[in-house]
Amino acid sequence: MSERNEKVLMIPKIKLGIVIDHIPAGEGVKILEIISRYEEMQDVPVTLGLNYDSKKMGRKDLIKMQLEFLSPEIIQHISIVVPGVTIKAIKDYRVYSKVVVQAPKVIKNLLLCKNPNCVTNLESGIETLFHAVDEESNRVRCNFCERIFDRSELKPIIK
Amino acid sequence: MKKDLISMEDLTVDEIKDYLRLAHSVEDLPADERYRLLQGKIMAAMFFEPSTRTRLSFESAMHRLGGGVIGFAEKSATSVSKGESFTDTIYTVENYCDIMVIRHPGEGTARLAARVSSIPVINAGDGSNQHPTQTLLDLFTIEKDLGKISGIKVAFVGDLKYSRTVHSLIRALMKFDVTEFILVAPESLRLPKYFMMTDEPNKYHFYETNHLEEAISKCDILYMTRIQRERFPDLLEYEKVKDSYLLTAAMLEEARPHLRVLHPLPRVNEIAYDVDKTKYAGYFPQARNGVIMREAILLKHLGVKI
């Protein structure tokens, strides 16, 4: 058995669940942080693997969760914070569906504006809205105060 | 569908040109004809923070067009001071008027008002974000004074870091193919790099300098701004720079003959009074243009054609 396969076995295979793969090394913790903030995820067994060898990426992180279904809201949050990861659904130890998630161009009510003088932080109950500035970068513009931020510096809204 | 004016970033060059054309037409209309255009219409001037010039010029514009004006000039005169939410104020006031003009210290408030209101909303300044009617009147003034906008050379002087008027006008001028800018500011008040960002970096040139004299002979528009004392963490620093940006008539000897000195007003000590008498002083006509442009804006957003 190659060294690489031995390492993969360090995280047990799951019969039924969700795997988040191709997480850039070091970013796994960010995803874990998001997941752990959702109440519905509190009792779900989660395994986090860090710094695995990857042919594609050199090093990668990996998350396995034993649950049948990951809510679209959580998937969206993951796509905003760490775009480009692969989310795989596992049934009977096999991948039966997978999707590469990309950050949406329009982010509605999922991130808080960082500008304390933005109306979304001054008035209660106002839904936030951000638009991607361009295709390549991670920068988004607040629809209200028009300030531009890096997506990673904005805190997620967990309902 | 109702049309709002919230941000210069929402407008295409063609839309901006429409405002300019309309302002020229308004100016050509006799006063008695103008006075009939908005009779029976009511404008609400909702000023959640004080602003003498913007509020008075909007009110003057509405009166000149024969319309009525209601409103308030500061937050303490509203139910917001009793704890009413901003959106509730909008839902209430929209029943009293045909168009709302809003000034608010919170950024994005005009956008929010436009979203919840069923009548047109005009942004008269939202915090340090946008003040589109100022930018439109500046463009109108430049076009009137020089006969064109594209290809001119503009110098901005003073607080280029915090002045939303400067930020907004630079972005608008770039849309109009103004490619050369001279930026005169102390180190601590320089234009944030973001405003110089563009898809065509080779097209635009920004020359930064600390010296006002360097700019005067090289530009067609000299746009002065107030250096605000409260922007300086160190008052000694303020004392050092405040007079280096004082424009006097003597300094204008080398100016291009068609040069115009503009200023959003109020001035404090950036322009000496002896400049007022020179042919270069354009800032008081600029204030007059503010009323004309705001008449054009009210007409356009109330759907009245002339």
Side-chain angles (χ1 to χ4, degrees):
Chain A
M1 193 178 272
S2 73
E3 194 188 333
R4 184 167 171 269
N5 282 337
E6 274 172 9
K7 280 190 176 168
V8 170
L9 286 176
M10 284 162 65
I11 284 192
K13 277 195 164 188
I14 48 174
K15 187 178 179 191
L16 181 74
I18 305 287
V19 174
I20 306 175
D21 201 354
H22 304 126
I23 306 170
E27 305 278 289
V29 179
K30 285 189 190 167
I31 295 180
L32 197 65
E33 213 177 273
I34 293 172
I35 292 168
S36 63
R37 289 172 73 168
Y38 278 89
E39 214 180 318
E40 65 200 80
M41 299 297 291
Q42 295 304 313
D43 297 325
V44 175
V46 176
T47 319
L48 167 68
L50 300 176
N51 295 321
Y52 282 79
D53 288 335
S54 160
K55 267 189 193 164
K56 219 164 85 180
M57 310 170 69
R59 297 251 165 194
K60 69 173 183 181
D61 292 350
L62 187 78
I63 291 174
K64 292 191 177 189
M65 295 172 281
Q66 291 181 46
L67 85 170
E68 209 169 332
F69 176 75
L70 194 61
S71 79
E73 208 183 346
I74 299 178
I75 294 175
Q76 260 194 315
H77 256 145
I78 293 170
S79 74
I80 291 164
V81 178
V82 188
V85 300
T86 308
I87 299 185
K88 299 173 181 170
I90 308 289
K91 223 177 208 174
D92 290 326
Y93 300 104
R94 290 178 183 279
V95 175
Y96 82 90
S97 76
K98 67 173 178 181
V99 60
V100 178
V101 294
Q102 296 297 351
K105 290 195 173 63
V106 179
I107 302 169
K108 199 175 170 191
N109 215 25
L110 289 168
L111 296 174
L112 281 171
C113 185
K114 210 179 158 189
N115 173 8
N117 201 30
C118 176
V119 69
T120 58
N121 291 318
L122 298 174
E123 290 285 311
S124 59
I126 310 298
E127 291 196 342
T128 65
L129 184 62
F130 294 88
H131 291 96
V133 173
D134 47 48
E135 298 264 324
E136 306 84 45
S137 74
N138 283 326
R139 290 177 310 142
V140 292
R141 182 197 300 270
C142 172
N143 178 61
F144 290 93
C145 70
E146 302 187 17
R147 300 273 177 105
I148 291 177
F149 303 98
D150 206 85
R151 256 197 310 261
S152 59
E153 62 180 320
L154 300 176
K155 282 192 183 144
I157 300 173
I158 310 283
K159 282 158 228 158
Chain B
M1 208 178 84
K2 69 146 181 160
K3 190 170 161 50
D4 310 297
L5 175 58
I6 307 302
S7 165
M8 287 304 290
E9 296 292 318
D10 299 340
L11 301 179
T12 63
V13 173
D14 285 343
E15 284 172 314
I16 297 171
K17 284 180 179 166
D18 260 358
Y19 285 102
L20 300 176
R21 261 194 299 272
L22 190 57
H24 286 294
S25 310
V26 167
E27 194 170 27
D28 294 340
L29 272 185
D32 59 329
E33 265 183 57
R34 254 196 251 188
Y35 191 70
R36 283 195 287 270
L37 292 170
L38 288 185
Q39 274 180 12
K41 298 284 185 192
I42 297 173
M43 175 189 91
M46 303 167 71
F47 281 66
F48 292 86
E49 67 175 3
S51 155
T52 319
R53 279 157 198 82
T54 307
R55 184 171 58 85
L56 288 184
S57 67
F58 260 113
E59 291 188 4
S60 167
M62 194 62 182
H63 286 305
R64 284 185 193 281
L65 295 167
V69 177
I70 58 171
F72 48 84
E74 55 182 312
K75 187 181 159 191
S76 62
T78 71
S79 291
V80 170
S81 65
K82 298 176 194 162
E84 185 180 55
S85 76
F86 177 73
T87 46
D88 277 4
T89 308
I90 300 298
Y91 284 132
T92 309
V93 175
E94 70 175 346
N95 298 298
Y96 308 155
C97 58
D98 302 289
I99 190 165
M100 280 189 243
V101 175
I102 299 176
R103 157 74 62 103
H104 195 290
E107 290 153 30
T109 35
R111 178 88 63 198
L112 175 63
R115 180 174 284 193
V116 301
S117 155
S118 58
I119 64 170
V121 172
I122 308 296
N123 184 6
D126 59 331
S128 57
N129 183 31
Q130 286 275 334
H131 191 6
T133 66
Q134 176 73 45
T135 307
L136 289 170
L137 83 85
D138 287 342
L139 291 170
F140 178 52
T141 302
I142 293 171
E143 194 184 60
K144 258 178 78 173
D145 287 351
L146 301 182
K148 61 171 185 174
I149 299 174
S150 67
I152 62 167
K153 200 165 178 176
V154 185
F156 287 91
V157 184
D159 177 359
L160 309 189
K161 185 173 182 184
Y162 297 101
S163 168
R164 69 179 166 200
T165 303
V166 169
H167 301 162
S168 179
L169 185 54
I170 288 177
R171 298 299 290 181
L173 289 169
M174 287 167 77
K175 286 186 188 179
F176 272 84
D177 282 340
V178 172
T179 58
E180 292 196 68
F181 297 90
I182 305 173
L183 307 172
V184 187
E187 297 287 341
S188 53
L189 292 178
R190 291 223 160 144
L191 185 73
K193 289 280 176 274
Y194 165 68
F195 293 102
M196 302 179 207
M197 267 167 46
T198 157
D199 295 338
E200 304 164 276
N202 296 327
K203 181 175 171 184
Y204 300 97
H205 304 281
F206 294 90
Y207 305 98
E208 293 189 291
T209 172
N210 295 337
H211 304 292
L212 176 55
E213 290 85 349
E214 267 179 47
I216 291 170
S217 61
K218 294 180 188 145
C219 61
D220 306 301
I221 294 288
L222 187 60
Y223 200 101
M224 305 290 295
T225 63
R226 185 161 53 106
I227 293 190
Q228 289 164 286
R229 200 165 171 243
E230 58 271 24
R231 298 291 189 201
F232 286 83
D234 182 355
L235 282 183
L236 274 176
E237 186 68 20
Y238 169 75
E239 290 300 325
K240 251 192 269 171
V241 302
K242 68 169 191 190
D243 290 335
S244 53
Y245 299 97
L246 170 64
L247 181 71
T248 62
M251 290 162 78
L252 288 163
E253 272 174 18
E254 300 291 307
R256 294 176 176 182
H258 57 267
L259 171 87
R260 278 290 177 284
V261 179
L262 302 181
H263 192 302
L265 302 177
R267 73 169 147 182
V268 183
N269 54 0
E270 313 78 51
I271 305 176
Y273 291 110
D274 62 1
V275 178
D276 299 358
K277 297 279 184 284
T278 69
K279 63 178 180 178
Y280 306 110
Y283 30 93
F284 292 123
Q286 184 185 2
R288 181 176 171 273
N289 291 337
V291 179
I292 296 164
M293 178 48 83
R294 285 172 178 126
E295 285 178 62
I297 289 166
L298 289 169
L299 288 169
K300 188 178 177 75
H301 289 266
L302 283 167
V304 176
K305 291 203 162 57
I306 54 170

